[in-house]
Structures are given as structure tokens and as C-alpha cells.
Amino acid sequence: RVRMKKLRGVMSMGYLVKPSALERWKSILTGVNWEVEVGNDFDTVDDELLVKAYVPEIKEHHTGVGKANKKLKNFNRMIPGQFTFHYDTQQLNRSMDRFHPDTDVTITVKEHGTSIVIGNVKVKKPRFGWLYAKIFNYLPKILQWTREDFDIVYSSRTVIKNANYNPKVSDGFYGTDIWAEYYKILKNFIPRGMTVYGEIVGYLTGSNTMIQKGYDYGCKPGENKMMIYRINVTDENGQTHEYDVEDVYNFTLLLIDQLKSYDKIHMSNFASRIKPIEFLYKGILKDLYPNISIEEHWNENILEALKVEKRFGMEENEPLCNNKVPREGIVVRINGDPMKEAFKLKCIKFLSKEASEMDTGDTNDIEMQERY
């Protein structure tokens, strides 16, 4: 299990092993051309685990976290291709070959909270009235007659939270269903076919407990907010279209205006709980550092410069928080990228803080628990 260590003043970011040691461990590796394997990621060799990140298991409020349901085909009311969990964001330092001096990019803040997915997607609904729907999950499959229609499905990073789609779901990691609160806020404002991805930050509602220790993002105790950072839409033909990050931002602003009108009528505070994504830079990558030569080692030098870029708050305290905690990092997107990928770059101070908390078991991070 890999722990983060300081080696000659530099924080280690991985596990080092000689090819000869791997060959002694697994004879099938003898004769492998290791030069060809440069850049490949793996944690398993010949079906045997070699290495994994060190993340201590958290016992309290752990119900529901261990039952990640990434295999949506096991849910007989879900239609394949309609609802998707958020993909794992690629690490920028492993993806610099995707970037060139003339690459047009958008850089945004990476906030430290808990993931939420809310989609108005096509599902299989009980065919008959409310009484049949009430007993639907208890009927044998041969008597579960359905029709296709749209419904709001919501989840954490890997667990569907609707009880009518996931009967065994619990309140979850925090002992309270923070995701249901935003489902109730947004369920009437998400168009058919759209799925919204966000990050909930701050405190648990009505509690002094923080979603991520120290990371208040300007919220008072008992308050929280949701930042929307990704949107996709599935059309009638089942084709999914991803929004550009600027379109995500504009949709969020429009949504906030709609919620303000709703708040006036219903005496609620929904609009104040939604926040747009935080932009840091938009433009050509070489213009960000005109003094860095594009002739040699440009990718490596740009990466090293981004790691400590004070204009982006890298290796600084998070300015969006009242508490003194390190910024988690940044997210870089390629404008016009048909794949709409996002690449994350985390601060060493953040990773070091995270590692220290993991070593002492003093962590309450659902993202790590669900990921590992």
C-alpha cells in the first residue's frame, strides 16, 4: 500500500520498483520490452494485485458506500445509455501529450466536496397506478410490467439514491441524504434528456459537520452549495451530447435566475444554494507563459509552471474558503474537444494534507471510499 512520503525534501507521488524485481516476482514478465510499456498504467499483473493507494476504511456512516452500483444493467428499471455516473477525471501530468503550445484551454477551480449526479432520463416506470407502483419492487419480475417514460434519477459518485430504483439504498455516508436535498431543488428545472453533474461543498444542512473537513467555501455552519461543472443531453435517438464548459456556466446562470423567481413565490432559498463554475483562465496555452520556450521540453516546463501558479492559487490557501486550507487544485479542458475531457492537477500541499489524514485515519472523504 502506497503512502505519500518526503524523499530528500520532495513528496513522493508513486511507487518505484526495478524491472528485474518485477521479473523475479512474475516470471511471465521476463523478456518484456519495458521501453514499449512507458506511459502505461497498471496495478495488477497476471490477475494478482501489485500495488494500491493507501486509504483506510471508514466505519461510521459507511452504509451504502460499499455497494457502488456502477453496473446499471443490474437495475431492471434503468434503460442502458440514459443515465451515466461521472467518469474518473484524468491526471494532467499523465496527459500532457494531449497539449501543444497552440492548444486553446479553459482552466477552472477544482473544489473539494462530494459528487452529485441528477438526470431527467428515460426509465421503465410501473405500467399501472400508484398502488401498483407502491408494491412494484416486491413483485416477482414476471409481474413487474413497465412502460418507458422520463423520471429524475439522482446519485452520489457511484450509488443511485432513488429508493424506487435502488430499494436497498440508505441515507449513506454522512448519515443524511444530502443528495436528496438537491434532487428536490432541481427536479423541476432539468429538461428531459439532460443530466447535470455537480459538487456539493460546505456543511451538512443544519449541522456543524463539514462535507470535507475544513473546506467551507464561504458557507456558514449548516449551509452548503452545489457547483455545476458538467452537463450532457441524450436525444431521442440515444445519442449523448456534451456541453462545453462555457455552456455549462451559462446554463447555471440561467438556472439561478429561474430559481430566484421560484424563491419569490415559494419563500425558499434555492437560488443561493447553486453556484457557477469558477473560471481562472481561457485562451491559448503558450500565451499563459510566453517566456517558456516552445522549442524543447515545453510540455514538461508548462506542467511544472502550472503546479506552482499563484495566479491560480496553486500551493496557496483556498481563497474561496474562510478556513485556512490548501486549494485542491485546478481542472484543465481543451476548448472544442469533441471528447469534452477534463484533466485535473492537484496541489502537493493538498495531497500532503490528505496523506497525513489518511495515515492517522482522520479522514471522512466519501470520494476516496467510493473510488477505492
Side-chain angles (χ1 to χ4, degrees):
R1 296 185 299 179
V2 176
R3 280 186 166 97
M4 197 174 188
K5 297 286 185 183
K6 186 172 283 190
L7 305 173
R8 294 182 181 176
V10 178
M11 297 305 295
S12 66
M13 297 295 292
Y15 176 71
L16 296 175
V17 60
K18 292 182 179 180
S20 57
L22 287 175
E23 291 167 2
R24 287 196 300 273
W25 174 54
K26 289 287 183 182
S27 60
I28 63 168
L29 297 177
T30 303
V32 167
N33 183 353
W34 294 104
E35 293 291 332
V36 175
E37 300 301 326
V38 170
N40 283 346
D41 292 337
F42 64 95
D43 59 5
T44 303
V45 177
D46 196 26
D47 295 327
E48 187 170 350
L49 183 67
L50 168 67
V51 62
K52 71 173 182 177
Y54 174 72
V55 181
E57 183 177 345
I58 299 171
K59 299 298 183 182
E60 59 267 31
H61 305 314
H62 199 240
T63 54
V65 174
K67 300 184 182 297
N69 41 59
K70 287 187 175 180
K71 295 182 178 179
L72 291 172
K73 63 183 180 180
N74 294 338
F75 288 73
N76 63 338
R77 291 184 58 186
M78 302 297 292
I79 298 175
Q82 290 290 316
F83 181 87
T84 55
F85 295 115
H86 187 57
Y87 57 77
D88 289 328
T89 308
Q90 296 298 313
Q91 293 187 35
L92 182 65
N93 58 1
R94 296 182 183 178
S95 309
M96 284 305 295
D97 59 309
R98 295 284 306 278
F99 295 87
H100 307 282
D102 291 320
T103 302
D104 189 13
V105 301
T106 296
I107 301 176
T108 59
V109 175
K110 190 175 193 315
E111 295 192 356
H112 190 40
T114 186
S115 298
I116 182 171
V117 185
I118 308 175
N120 190 350
V121 296
K122 195 175 287 186
V123 296
K124 297 176 184 177
K125 285 188 173 182
R127 184 173 290 275
F128 305 115
W130 67 270
L131 181 60
Y132 181 75
K134 203 86 171 173
I135 63 173
F136 181 87
N137 288 324
Y138 304 99
L139 295 172
K141 286 190 176 182
I142 196 172
L143 296 177
Q144 290 183 342
W145 299 312
T146 61
R147 57 184 173 85
E148 289 191 2
D149 199 356
F150 284 88
D151 198 4
I152 303 292
V153 178
Y154 69 103
S155 75
S156 63
R157 186 178 182 86
T158 58
V159 179
I160 290 178
K161 294 293 181 177
N162 305 65
N164 52 341
Y165 295 104
N166 186 10
K168 296 181 180 179
V169 73
S170 67
D171 283 343
F173 186 85
Y174 298 107
T176 181
D177 195 349
I178 186 72
W179 305 273
E181 295 178 27
Y182 285 91
Y183 154 75
K184 292 172 183 175
I185 290 173
L186 298 181
K187 65 180 180 180
N188 295 320
F189 297 93
I190 299 179
R192 287 188 170 189
M194 177 179 285
T195 301
V196 170
Y197 301 80
E199 192 86 356
I200 305 173
V201 298
Y203 295 80
L204 298 178
T205 304
S207 170
N208 288 325
T209 301
M210 307 189 81
I211 291 171
Q212 295 289 1
K213 185 178 178 181
Y215 288 83
D216 58 87
Y217 289 101
C219 296
K220 296 177 181 178
E223 296 179 349
N224 47 69
K225 295 181 180 181
M226 173 184 168
M227 180 187 74
I228 298 174
Y229 57 78
R230 181 188 171 205
I231 296 174
N232 63 41
V233 176
T234 301
D235 63 25
E236 294 180 356
N237 298 318
Q239 298 295 314
T240 299
H241 309 275
E242 196 86 18
Y243 274 32
D244 288 324
V245 65
E246 196 145 342
D247 292 331
V248 173
Y249 178 82
N250 291 332
F251 173 87
T252 307
L253 295 183
L254 179 62
L255 173 65
I256 291 171
D257 285 340
Q258 292 175 321
L259 289 171
K260 284 179 180 177
S261 299
Y262 181 91
D263 288 344
K264 288 180 181 178
I265 298 171
H266 296 86
M267 303 295 289
S268 54
N269 66 338
F270 289 173
S272 65
R273 299 182 67 178
I274 304 298
K275 60 182 297 189
I277 197 167
E278 295 274 346
F279 287 102
L280 295 171
Y281 177 78
K282 188 178 188 302
I284 305 302
L285 201 47
K286 69 179 179 182
D287 293 343
L288 188 56
Y289 298 105
N291 295 328
I292 292 181
S293 171
I294 62 174
E295 300 302 325
E296 58 178 288
H297 304 298
W298 177 84
N299 294 71
E300 294 92 332
N301 292 334
I302 282 285
L303 178 61
E304 293 306 311
L306 286 172
K307 287 179 179 179
V308 293
E309 181 51 76
K310 291 189 176 183
R311 287 176 291 175
F312 301 159
M314 298 296 284
E315 304 306 332
E316 303 284 330
N317 286 335
E318 176 56 76
L320 299 176
C321 289
N322 296 322
N323 294 326
K324 292 184 178 181
V325 288
R327 167 158 282 181
E328 180 176 4
I330 58 176
V331 178
V332 183
R333 297 172 177 84
I334 299 174
N335 297 325
D337 179 12
M339 298 179 68
K340 301 292 188 294
E341 286 184 281
F343 304 90
K344 62 187 175 186
L345 180 62
K346 292 190 177 184
C347 297
I348 297 298
K349 283 186 178 179
F350 173 84
L351 293 172
S352 180
K353 175 180 180 294
E354 193 177 57
S356 296
E357 291 173 349
M358 285 190 286
D359 282 346
T360 61
D362 182 24
T363 180
N364 194 35
D365 191 343
I366 185 176
E367 301 295 306
M368 283 191 292
Q369 293 299 317
E370 290 190 345
R371 188 158 56 244
Y372 296 114

